[in-house]
Amino acid sequence: MASATHASAGGGLGRGGRVVAVLGPTNTGKTYLAIERMLGHRSGMIGFPLRLLARENYDRIVGIKGKNAVALVTGEEKILPPNPSYWVCTVESMPLDRAVDFLAVDEIQLCADPERGHIFTDRLLNARGMVETMVLGSDSMQPMIRRLVPKAEFISRPRFSQLTYAGHKKLTRLPPRSAVVAFSATDVYAIAEMIRRQRGGTAVVLGALSPRTRNAQVGLYQAGEVDYLVATDAIGMGLNMDVDHVAFARIVKFDGFAPRRLRPAEVAQIAGRAGRHMRDGTFGTTDEVGELDADLVTRVENHEFETVKALSWRNSELRFDTPGFLLKSLEERAPLAELSRVREADDHLALQALVRDPDIMDLARGRDAVKLLWEVCQVPDFRKVLSDAHTKLLGQIFRSLRTPLRRLDDDWVAKQIARLDRTEGDIDALVARIAHIRTWTYISNRPTWLKDPLHWQERTRAIEDRLSDALHERLTQRFIDRRSATLARTLKDGRSLLGGVRADGEVVVEGHVVGKLEGFRFVPDAPDRSDEAKSLLTAARRALRDELAKRLRAFEAEPDDAFALGADGVLSADGLPVARLAAGQSVLAPLVVPFDDGMLDQAQRERVRARLERWLKDHIAARLKPLFALSAAKGLSGAGRGLAFQLVEGLGVLPRQPVADMVERLEREDRKALTGLGVRLGVSHLYLTALAKPAAVTLRGMLWAVSKGHPLPVPIPPPGRVSVEAPPVKEGGAPAGFWEAIGYPLAGGRALRVDMLDRLETELLTASRANAPIREVALGQRVGLSAEELGAVLAGLGYVRMVAEDGAVTWKRKRPSRQQQGNRQRREKPTNEDHPFAKLRQLSGM
């Protein structure tokens, strides 16, 4: 490292010729100019702020000059041909003891950075090319460079394109080719998850990613596999991407001491990623950030920022007599007012921790030992936490290097590295392992510390590559839905989609399974009602137009036995649901409502409905044939027609009491005709005897529920059961109207099949007329009831149990009180002559 750190404002040229400061905003071609100038000299060296940038430009220069002419030097990677003419480095790793004609430092405004700024400041003051020196960076550095390097020349580079503020947009409304910026891994992951759900996926860039992983993620974005990128301020430098819009999801960052708002220059550095070369870009806010201040917007759009007031500085004329002298020299005050002594950097803090160990102090005797201790302290902790574990590792390294072998034990190194050679685990686990292996990559590039440094460089680089690839895979799995991303691009472009249906119903569009086609109903492979589900539906509908038309023609030609009606009121074809029932004009004519999932248009749905209605009409007519025969009966009198009408509306069951006067007035021919039609004029009910079959009972229950809007399925008694328990409505039971409709009227907390109820009441009447006793057990058995259940049913029907002195049991129907009789008469008497009952009475009296 050069030592002329005490250069005054009047000096600073050191050795070498002209010093040129090329200043301007992002996207001005500064780096391109510097490389062009360097390659115009016989030799040169350029320092970049990031390993990733150094590697990218190394590859570029190798393409021009060849591998033998170019060296790459970073903390973690060294490519050193025998006699290179050009050196591409990170700023920290620049070998300044080598004389070159041209020397350049990129992003010189980082002189003000509180963590790394002292390195950049040292290069500004002391690093010189013999013929030409060039520093590249922001206009905000111009006054400071003028003061510290008075003879410097300045070249101003205007931005090639315009950067314009676009205001606030919701995450769901961000345009394609947008980069969303936050400042913590937690926020980046949360935003990326949201964009994945809504837009199909996003690439992710964080400072903690290895260069290989970062490049792979950017590659996804650049290749158009995703239209969005979520990143920390790591995108502020070193990544050239085709970004059209930068959206700040956060505007506050933690700077190592406390949270603070971004400064205008920092906003501009990040926002400047939008637009490349002559293509304009925009910036704005999203998520939790509201509109930006007008003053901030003006500054960013016009590149007007406060100038840098002080540069970070640390003494580089270090004393290695003892650890104490080394610490004292590190803490020396800055020699100029423009320079501000940097807070303790990680290497300084590591030294402070190690010198508290007596064993380390014993080993750190003499200049060479202290220099070695300082070199060990500069081994970076890429996790940026400087944990006790890292300090312990540094101590172990120093102890090993002070043994007689003066190098690290191969077995110990192998054991440390082997622990990291694992690709399982989540994103955070892989990030931590990559940080560890990068530390070992740095160590392996210290040639005197290892017996075979090239072997360990290859080993650590291979592990880092494997971990980086695994991390890229995990990030892609978590934050990119390739299916949604592919479909979204195709739908946006308006191109036709290739799709088909497999034998098991799986729908494949553009090579991706998007869901299942069940009949005409598409079930997307995504959460219900989500944006992803909507996208998949749109893709399936567009891709399967021909398939749907083909299915519809086959559907219309299906035989009747292909259709079925489920207990839930759903109509199916070949076992696949296609429609549901809804209340229609009458209980026997429900509506057919095809499932509308957006796959069929209105005309196609009408064709589905028409075919199902034809089948349903025939199905109901076949299952409830006695009802339709009764409805179509001819030759009945007015009273007979009225009773037939009400029986049909009641699905084959009608309480007798409300129509008792009409029954009394039936003519003999009517009674005979009704009997021939299967109508039984029972004690308490009129009913169709043939509708007691299980299929007819089930269908009647469903039709009643559909007409009343009652939930399906309904509690149909098991086949063969003549009575079932019927809980009250308040306990979740079905209403009395349902039990009447299916032919199981309620009595005493039970539903009793109407023909059994009629038999029961007939026997009671017969016994009552003969004044004969009731054998309760035998009577109960005949109607499928226990003695206890029989008693409850009879009580529910209005009968009173009477026991004679000789023990004989009789059941008598209670006589209604005068008030009850009056109430019943009022209920039966219509208040309107146009009321249906009034008309029926008029008809029966003709």
Side-chain angles (χ1 to χ4, degrees):
M1 189 178 290
S3 61
T5 309
H6 291 287
S8 67
L13 282 174
R15 68 184 188 278
R18 67 192 291 242
V19 178
V20 180
V22 182
L23 306 179
T26 57
N27 190 27
T28 57
K30 298 185 294 294
T31 304
Y32 181 88
L33 173 65
I35 292 176
E36 186 179 57
R37 291 291 299 158
M38 181 177 75
L39 298 183
H41 290 274
R42 289 180 302 171
S43 62
M45 181 183 300
I46 184 167
F48 292 99
L50 299 173
R51 168 188 167 193
L52 179 148
L53 261 180
R55 180 72 204 213
E56 178 183 303
N57 284 287
Y58 165 79
D59 292 337
R60 175 182 165 194
I61 297 169
V62 164
I64 299 172
K65 293 293 185 178
K67 286 187 176 181
N68 292 332
V70 190
L72 173 67
V73 182
T74 71
E76 302 163 67
E77 186 175 15
K78 290 182 175 62
I79 301 175
L80 300 171
N83 295 296
S85 299
Y86 304 101
W87 298 76
V88 182
C89 321
T90 52
V91 173
E92 286 86 345
S93 300
M94 296 173 75
L96 298 179
D97 55 341
R98 292 187 175 270
V100 291
D101 289 344
F102 176 89
L103 185 144
V105 180
D106 194 18
E107 304 290 357
I108 197 64
Q109 74 275 3
L110 288 178
C111 286
D113 184 75
E115 293 183 5
R116 302 171 62 203
H118 61 285
I119 304 292
F120 286 79
T121 299
D122 181 74
R123 304 299 184 256
L124 173 66
L125 296 176
N126 302 307
R128 295 291 181 267
M130 291 187 296
V131 177
E132 183 178 6
T133 300
M134 184 175 285
V135 292
L136 320 170
S138 167
D139 278 321
S140 62
M141 281 291 293
Q142 186 172 143
M144 189 62 70
I145 294 174
R146 286 190 186 278
R147 287 198 294 272
L148 296 178
V149 190
K151 295 183 180 180
E153 304 170 26
F154 291 87
I155 298 176
S156 180
R157 302 282 290 190
R159 184 177 165 94
F160 293 147
S161 58
Q162 287 292 113
L163 185 62
T164 308
Y165 180 59
H168 177 88
K169 289 182 173 67
K170 293 182 179 179
L171 276 173
T172 54
R173 298 298 180 89
L174 289 176
R177 315 311 293 169
S178 288
V180 183
V181 179
F183 297 99
S184 72
T186 301
D187 287 339
V188 167
Y189 293 160
I191 293 168
E193 288 276 12
M194 194 177 306
I195 292 178
R196 185 194 68 80
R197 291 194 301 268
Q198 296 170 345
R199 295 298 184 92
T202 177
V204 173
V205 172
L206 303 96
L209 302 185
S210 66
R212 185 181 180 95
T213 305
R214 195 182 309 185
N215 283 337
Q217 286 288 302
V218 171
L220 290 174
Y221 177 83
Q222 287 295 92
E225 292 191 41
V226 292
D227 275 333
Y228 299 90
L229 177 76
V230 183
T232 62
D233 50 350
I235 67 165
M237 62 180 68
L239 293 173
N240 294 323
M241 300 168 294
D242 298 324
V243 175
D244 293 336
H245 180 75
V246 171
F248 289 87
R250 304 291 185 273
I251 205 70
V252 173
K253 68 175 289 186
F254 183 77
D255 65 0
F257 289 107
R260 65 167 176 81
R261 289 182 67 84
L262 292 181
R263 301 183 181 99
E266 294 170 322
V267 173
Q269 179 74 27
I270 298 169
R273 296 298 98 190
R276 298 301 300 168
H277 301 294
M278 303 305 293
R279 191 178 72 251
D280 293 340
T282 59
F283 70 101
T285 58
T286 189
D287 202 40
E288 295 182 3
V289 182
E291 297 287 351
L292 295 179
D293 295 336
D295 179 64
L296 173 60
V297 171
T298 300
R299 286 173 177 270
V300 173
E301 288 182 337
N302 298 310
H303 316 295
E304 299 172 351
F305 310 114
E306 291 185 2
T307 58
V308 174
K309 298 296 190 294
L311 306 185
S312 295
W313 176 88
R314 186 172 76 177
N315 180 29
S316 60
E317 291 185 338
L318 303 180
R319 293 187 59 183
F320 296 106
D321 305 83
T322 67
F325 277 121
L326 176 58
L327 282 170
K328 186 174 181 181
S329 61
L330 284 168
E331 294 165 359
E332 187 171 323
R333 297 178 62 181
L336 300 173
E338 292 85 358
L339 306 179
S340 174
R341 187 172 73 83
V342 70
R343 68 190 188 217
E344 286 83 353
D346 286 351
D347 51 5
H348 191 171
L349 293 171
L351 177 64
Q352 290 176 339
L354 289 177
V355 298
R356 288 195 288 268
D357 185 334
D359 294 338
I360 298 294
M361 290 297 289
D362 287 342
L363 294 171
R365 296 181 184 276
R367 290 182 59 84
D368 290 342
V370 176
K371 278 187 177 181
L372 178 61
L373 177 61
W374 181 236
E375 288 179 7
V376 170
C377 289
Q378 290 179 306
V379 172
D381 179 7
F382 286 98
R383 293 170 299 165
K384 304 295 184 184
V385 295
L386 198 63
S387 64
D388 290 341
H390 184 71
T391 304
K392 184 179 178 181
L393 172 65
L394 298 183
Q396 181 64 41
I397 291 172
F398 181 69
R399 291 186 184 92
S400 297
L401 294 176
R402 291 295 292 157
T403 62
L405 286 176
R406 294 293 192 267
R407 62 172 178 258
L408 302 178
D409 178 72
D410 278 356
D411 291 340
W412 179 73
V413 172
K415 183 178 179 182
Q416 300 300 311
I417 291 176
R419 292 188 300 108
L420 303 173
D421 193 8
R422 296 180 293 115
T423 57
E424 70 272 13
D426 60 12
I427 291 173
D428 291 337
L430 290 171
V431 167
R433 266 183 232 135
I434 289 173
H436 281 299
I437 201 63
R438 289 181 70 186
T439 295
W440 281 102
T441 301
Y442 181 95
I443 293 169
S444 70
N445 277 278
R446 313 296 290 186
T448 61
W449 290 10
L450 295 160
K451 180 180 179 180
D452 187 359
L454 288 178
H455 164 73
W456 293 113
Q457 288 168 19
E458 291 173 358
R459 178 80 191 280
T460 55
R461 176 52 52 83
I463 293 174
E464 181 183 332
D465 286 349
R466 282 195 294 275
L467 291 172
S468 297
D469 292 343
L471 177 58
H472 172 62
E473 182 182 345
R474 299 290 197 287
L475 289 169
T476 301
Q477 288 174 347
R478 180 171 173 182
F479 299 121
I480 298 178
D481 183 339
R482 292 187 182 275
R483 177 185 68 186
S484 295
T486 299
L487 296 179
R489 287 198 306 273
T490 308
L491 291 170
K492 181 182 69 175
D493 296 342
R495 293 185 282 116
S496 60
L497 291 168
L498 297 177
V501 183
R502 292 174 177 163
D504 61 356
E506 276 192 335
V507 177
V508 181
V509 178
E510 295 291 333
H512 298 282
V513 175
V514 298
K516 273 199 164 189
L517 192 60
E518 299 176 350
F520 301 109
R521 190 178 190 182
F522 177 68
V523 181
D525 183 25
D528 190 32
R529 299 180 182 276
S530 64
D531 290 334
E532 183 184 7
K534 295 175 184 176
S535 175
L536 296 183
L537 172 62
T538 301
R541 184 171 55 234
R542 185 182 294 183
L544 300 180
R545 286 172 180 164
D546 292 342
E547 173 67 22
L548 289 169
K550 176 183 173 183
R551 286 194 171 207
L552 183 55
R553 289 192 296 271
F555 175 83
E556 290 177 310
E558 287 277 19
D560 282 352
D561 58 9
F563 302 105
L565 176 61
D568 56 357
V570 172
L571 290 153
S572 59
D574 293 321
L576 298 175
V578 289
R580 62 178 178 83
L581 297 185
Q585 292 183 344
S586 73
V587 68
L588 291 174
L591 293 179
V592 173
V593 182
F595 289 125
D596 182 12
D597 296 300
M599 295 296 287
L600 301 178
D601 59 31
Q602 181 61 41
Q604 289 172 324
R605 288 196 299 273
E606 180 60 28
R607 289 167 63 185
V608 170
R609 186 196 61 76
R611 176 66 184 95
L612 290 174
E613 276 194 349
R614 290 198 304 273
W615 176 85
L616 181 64
K617 181 178 180 181
D618 293 342
H619 175 74
I620 294 175
R623 291 290 177 92
L624 304 181
K625 187 174 181 180
L627 271 181
F628 287 88
L630 180 61
S631 177
K634 304 293 185 182
L636 294 175
S637 67
R641 290 196 304 274
L643 289 173
F645 174 80
Q646 292 191 62
L647 266 170
V648 172
E649 288 295 301
L651 292 172
V653 180
L654 183 63
R656 179 164 181 157
Q657 191 274 328
V659 294
D661 58 337
M662 296 172 64
V663 174
E664 293 300 324
R665 293 175 184 172
L666 283 174
E667 297 176 5
R668 183 175 181 181
E669 289 77 10
D670 287 332
R671 292 176 182 268
K672 184 177 179 180
L674 290 173
T675 300
L677 291 166
V679 176
R680 166 78 175 176
L681 304 179
V683 176
S684 60
H685 287 80
L686 283 62
Y687 58 94
L688 281 162
T689 56
L691 295 183
K693 296 177 181 178
V697 171
T698 300
L699 182 57
R700 285 190 289 162
M702 183 189 304
L703 293 174
W704 179 90
V706 169
S707 69
K708 302 297 183 183
H710 191 276
L712 288 170
V714 286
I716 301 298
R721 291 286 298 275
V722 297
S723 76
V724 292
E725 187 177 356
V729 175
K730 63 181 179 181
E731 296 179 11
F738 162 74
W739 296 110
E740 292 277 353
I742 67 170
Y744 279 73
L746 292 179
R750 297 191 68 81
L752 190 63
R753 202 171 71 191
V754 67
D755 58 333
M756 292 294 104
L757 175 62
D758 191 38
R759 178 188 296 183
L760 176 63
E761 292 190 296
T762 299
E763 293 205 19
L764 287 173
L765 285 175
T766 301
S768 177
R769 288 168 184 165
N771 202 23
I774 300 296
R775 295 179 180 177
E776 293 174 311
V777 174
L779 180 59
Q781 289 175 345
R782 284 197 291 275
V783 294
L785 298 173
S786 67
E788 183 178 354
E789 291 171 342
L790 177 65
V793 167
L794 292 177
L797 291 172
Y799 289 86
V800 177
R801 188 173 187 267
M802 304 178 70
V803 182
E805 292 182 359
D806 59 0
V809 176
T810 57
W811 286 84
K812 301 289 186 181
R813 186 182 290 274
K814 289 187 293 186
R815 292 184 178 276
S817 65
R818 291 183 179 180
Q819 181 179 358
Q820 290 174 328
Q821 290 177 338
N823 291 340
R824 186 168 63 190
Q825 291 172 356
R826 282 192 293 273
R827 286 197 302 268
E828 294 176 0
K829 183 178 180 181
T831 57
N832 185 343
E833 291 185 358
D834 293 327
H835 192 280
F837 286 153
K839 293 293 184 183
L840 287 172
R841 286 193 179 87
Q842 293 171 16
L843 289 171
S844 63
M846 290 181 182

